[in-house]
Amino acid sequence: MGGMQAVTSWQQDKSDLSATETRWVEKARAGDRLAFEQLYRSHCDRIFALCWRMCGGDRALAEDMMQEAFVRAWNKLDLFRGESKFGTWLHRLTVNVVLSDRRIRVKRVQREQEIDESIERVLVGQKDVMAGLRQDLEAAIAG
């Protein structure tokens, strides 16, 4: 019977936490920054761990992504419908933030590679032209 009571107590604690979180969300939606800070503090470790995994263990990038996720959450809190737990919504929002950043970074790298290759082609082309002129000059002098 004691074991059953412990499970019930744990379930009650979980229910209380969920109700508290719901109040924090409602207050944060109304602009209460302290309520949002409570949401941040209760989720920041999990969100950082998610970002760290998705960023391949790059701590600095994970910190940037976590910050971006919480900024986005604050700005989009009115879109949270409450159909799931706040943590679930925040997890999905964070995944979207990291994936979006990754797409932007990949495009940037591709553009930089294209630019580098075109610069390289121009430089190689100029060297080829200069080499040809040098050969013509040498032939004219010898000739």
Side-chain angles (χ1 to χ4, degrees):
M1 188 86 166
M4 191 67 164
Q5 194 173 20
V7 169
T8 304
S9 173
W10 175 80
Q11 288 173 335
Q12 184 60 41
D13 290 346
K14 190 174 176 183
S15 176
D16 290 345
L17 181 60
S18 182
T20 300
E21 187 170 90
T22 300
R23 284 193 301 277
W24 289 340
V25 169
E26 289 170 3
K27 288 181 178 185
R29 276 183 156 163
D32 186 336
R33 292 178 184 207
L34 292 176
F36 189 77
E37 181 181 348
Q38 292 300 320
L39 291 168
Y40 168 82
R41 290 183 187 281
S42 66
H43 293 280
C44 66
D45 291 339
R46 280 187 302 261
I47 295 303
F48 175 77
L50 172 63
C51 291
W52 185 82
R53 285 190 309 271
M54 291 186 72
C55 293
D58 183 334
R59 183 176 181 81
L61 182 56
E63 288 172 353
D64 287 348
M65 292 298 95
M66 181 181 80
Q67 181 178 4
E68 181 62 30
F70 277 103
V71 167
R72 186 99 34 103
W74 173 256
N75 290 331
K76 298 200 177 277
L77 201 52
D78 59 323
L79 298 177
F80 175 62
R81 296 184 303 239
E83 295 171 359
S84 62
K85 291 183 180 181
F86 177 77
T88 304
W89 178 78
L90 182 60
H91 180 99
R92 186 67 235 173
L93 183 138
T94 301
V95 168
N96 290 343
V97 164
V98 174
L99 292 177
S100 176
D101 181 74
R102 184 179 295 164
R103 280 190 297 272
I104 290 167
R105 288 176 188 276
V106 166
K107 285 180 183 177
R108 185 178 305 136
V109 167
Q110 288 172 342
R111 275 195 311 261
E112 288 172 359
Q113 286 175 344
E114 289 171 6
I115 290 171
D116 288 345
E117 288 172 4
S118 66
I119 289 172
E120 199 171 295
R121 280 193 299 269
V122 168
L123 290 176
V124 169
Q126 288 175 348
K127 287 179 185 175
D128 291 344
V129 169
M130 294 302 288
L133 291 175
R134 187 171 297 123
Q135 288 173 352
D136 290 345
L137 179 61
E138 289 172 4
I141 293 172

